[in-house]
Amino acid sequence: LGGDISCMAVAADSTRFVCTSSALFAISKGGLEALVAGHKTKTGFKDGAKTDARFNNPCGITVDGDGNILVSDCFNHTLRKVTRQGAVSTLAGTNVAGFADGVGAAARFNLPRGIVIDAQGTIFVADCKNHCLRQVAPLDGTVTTLVGTGTGKGSADGQGGVARFNSPFGLALDMHGHLL
């Protein structure tokens, strides 16, 4: 694969997708690997087709209902969308760390990590260094803060801005669709 595996997801057709520090690979049921997007050794930030695209330490991956792969590109502070054909586009964020709700490039993340998608297609991201959980609309990349404030770390139960986290890393959905 050209590097250590940082994250993995399984699609409905049992294809396994794995990320290294600079690329996304597909591994079929038979164990054959194929480079989907990125480069085996070169990191960076660039949208584009297959090997023209660049990633910088993707840390989370999930597959949507249409078979697109969603990647939290950690060191680029973005959420990226990759088609099965390898076309990479930035859904939300820019390669500059920050904190802002907004649409597409107007949104800011700071080391996004875990990522999951619910049955309705809503994307959830653990925004690690903003100490909050974010929600992303799949069609236009609208980012809103779901839980936490994006300003300070801590540990507090509550709803919305009352809750506090300390560098949330991973996310999961239980069988009832509750975000964990």
Side-chain angles (χ1 to χ4, degrees), residues 110-111 113-114 126-133 152-155 164-170:
N110 191 353
L111 300 179
R113 298 275 183 171
D127 194 352
C128 185
K129 290 304 173 187
N130 282 325
H131 311 289
C132 63
L133 303 182
K153 63 184 175 182
S155 178
R164 294 287 181 271
F165 294 95
N166 187 352
S167 302
F169 208 89

Coordinates of all heavy atoms in Angstrom, one line a residue, residues 110-111 113-114 126-133 152-155 164-170:
N110 N -10.4 21.9 12.6 CA -9.1 21.8 13.2 C -8.8 20.3 13.5 O -9.2 19.8 14.6 CB -8.9 22.7 14.4 CG -7.5 22.9 14.8 OD1 -6.6 22.2 14.3 ND2 -7.3 23.7 15.8
L111 N -8.1 19.6 12.6 CA -7.8 18.2 12.7 C -9.0 17.3 12.9 O -9.2 16.6 13.9 CB -6.8 18.0 13.9 CG -5.5 18.7 13.8 CD1 -4.7 18.3 15.1 CD2 -4.7 18.4 12.6
R113 N -11.2 14.2 12.7 CA -10.8 12.8 12.8 C -12.0 11.8 12.4 O -12.2 11.6 11.3 CB -10.4 12.5 14.3 CG -9.2 13.3 14.7 CD -7.9 12.7 14.3 NE -6.8 13.4 14.8 CZ -5.6 13.0 14.8 NH1 -5.3 11.8 14.3 NH2 -4.6 13.7 15.2
G114 N -12.7 11.3 13.4 CA -13.7 10.3 13.1 C -14.8 10.8 12.3 O -15.1 12.0 12.4
A126 N -15.9 14.2 14.1 CA -15.3 14.6 15.4 C -14.2 15.6 15.1 O -13.2 15.2 14.5 CB -14.7 13.3 16.1
D127 N -14.4 16.8 15.4 CA -13.5 17.9 15.1 C -12.5 18.0 16.3 O -12.8 18.7 17.3 CB -14.3 19.2 14.9 CG -13.4 20.3 14.3 OD1 -12.2 20.1 14.1 OD2 -14.0 21.3 13.9
C128 N -11.5 17.3 16.2 CA -10.6 17.0 17.4 C -10.1 18.2 18.1 O -10.3 18.3 19.3 CB -9.4 16.1 16.9 SG -8.3 15.5 18.2
K129 N -9.4 19.1 17.5 CA -8.8 20.2 18.2 C -9.7 21.4 18.4 O -9.4 22.4 19.0 CB -7.5 20.6 17.5 CG -6.4 19.6 17.7 CD -6.2 19.3 19.2 CE -5.2 18.2 19.4 NZ -5.1 17.8 20.8
N130 N -10.9 21.3 17.8 CA -12.0 22.3 18.2 C -12.9 21.7 19.3 O -13.8 22.4 19.7 CB -12.8 22.6 17.0 CG -12.1 23.6 16.1 OD1 -11.4 24.5 16.5 ND2 -12.3 23.5 14.8
H131 N -12.6 20.5 19.7 CA -13.2 19.8 20.9 C -14.8 19.8 20.7 O -15.5 20.1 21.7 CB -12.8 20.5 22.2 CG -11.4 20.7 22.3 ND1 -10.5 19.7 22.5 CD2 -10.6 21.8 22.2 CE1 -9.3 20.1 22.6 NE2 -9.3 21.4 22.4
C132 N -15.2 19.5 19.5 CA -16.7 19.4 19.3 C -17.0 18.4 18.2 O -16.2 17.8 17.5 CB -17.2 20.8 18.9 SG -16.5 21.4 17.3
L133 N -18.3 18.1 18.1 CA -18.9 17.3 17.1 C -19.6 18.2 16.1 O -20.4 19.0 16.4 CB -19.8 16.2 17.6 CG -19.2 15.4 18.7 CD1 -20.3 14.3 19.2 CD2 -18.0 14.7 18.3
G152 N -13.3 25.7 23.8 CA -12.5 25.2 24.9 C -12.8 23.7 25.1 O -13.9 23.2 25.0
K153 N -11.7 23.0 25.5 CA -11.9 21.6 25.9 C -12.4 21.4 27.3 O -12.3 22.3 28.1 CB -10.6 20.8 25.7 CG -9.5 21.2 26.6 CD -8.2 20.5 26.2 CE -7.0 21.0 27.0 NZ -5.8 20.3 26.7
G154 N -12.9 20.3 27.6 CA -13.4 20.0 28.9 C -14.2 18.7 28.9 O -14.1 17.9 28.0
S155 N -14.9 18.5 29.9 CA -15.8 17.3 30.1 C -17.0 17.7 30.8 O -17.0 17.9 32.0 CB -15.0 16.2 30.9 OG -15.8 15.1 31.0
R164 N -19.1 19.5 26.7 CA -17.7 19.7 26.4 C -17.0 18.4 26.2 O -17.3 17.4 26.8 CB -17.0 20.4 27.7 CG -17.5 21.8 28.0 CD -17.0 22.8 26.9 NE -17.4 24.2 27.2 CZ -18.6 24.7 26.8 NH1 -19.4 24.0 26.1 NH2 -18.9 25.9 27.1
F165 N -16.0 18.5 25.3 CA -15.2 17.3 24.9 C -13.7 17.7 25.0 O -13.4 18.9 24.9 CB -15.5 16.9 23.5 CG -16.8 16.3 23.3 CD1 -17.9 17.1 22.8 CD2 -17.1 15.0 23.5 CE1 -19.1 16.6 22.6 CE2 -18.4 14.5 23.3 CZ -19.4 15.3 22.8
N166 N -12.9 16.7 25.1 CA -11.5 16.9 25.1 C -10.9 16.1 23.9 O -10.7 14.9 24.1 CB -10.8 16.5 26.4 CG -9.4 16.9 26.5 OD1 -8.8 17.3 25.5 ND2 -8.8 16.7 27.7
S167 N -10.7 16.7 22.8 CA -10.1 16.1 21.6 C -10.9 14.8 21.2 O -10.3 13.7 21.2 CB -8.7 15.8 21.8 OG -7.9 17.0 22.1
P168 N -12.2 14.9 20.8 CA -12.9 13.8 20.4 C -12.2 13.2 19.1 O -11.8 13.9 18.2 CB -14.3 14.3 20.0 CG -14.1 15.7 19.8 CD -13.0 16.2 20.6
F169 N -12.1 11.9 19.1 CA -11.4 11.2 18.1 C -12.2 10.3 17.2 O -12.1 10.3 16.0 CB -10.3 10.4 18.7 CG -9.0 10.2 17.9 CD1 -8.0 11.1 18.0 CD2 -8.9 9.0 17.1 CE1 -6.9 10.9 17.2 CE2 -7.8 8.8 16.4 CZ -6.8 9.8 16.4
G170 N -13.0 9.4 17.8 CA -13.8 8.4 17.0 C -15.2 8.6 17.2 O -15.7 9.2 18.2

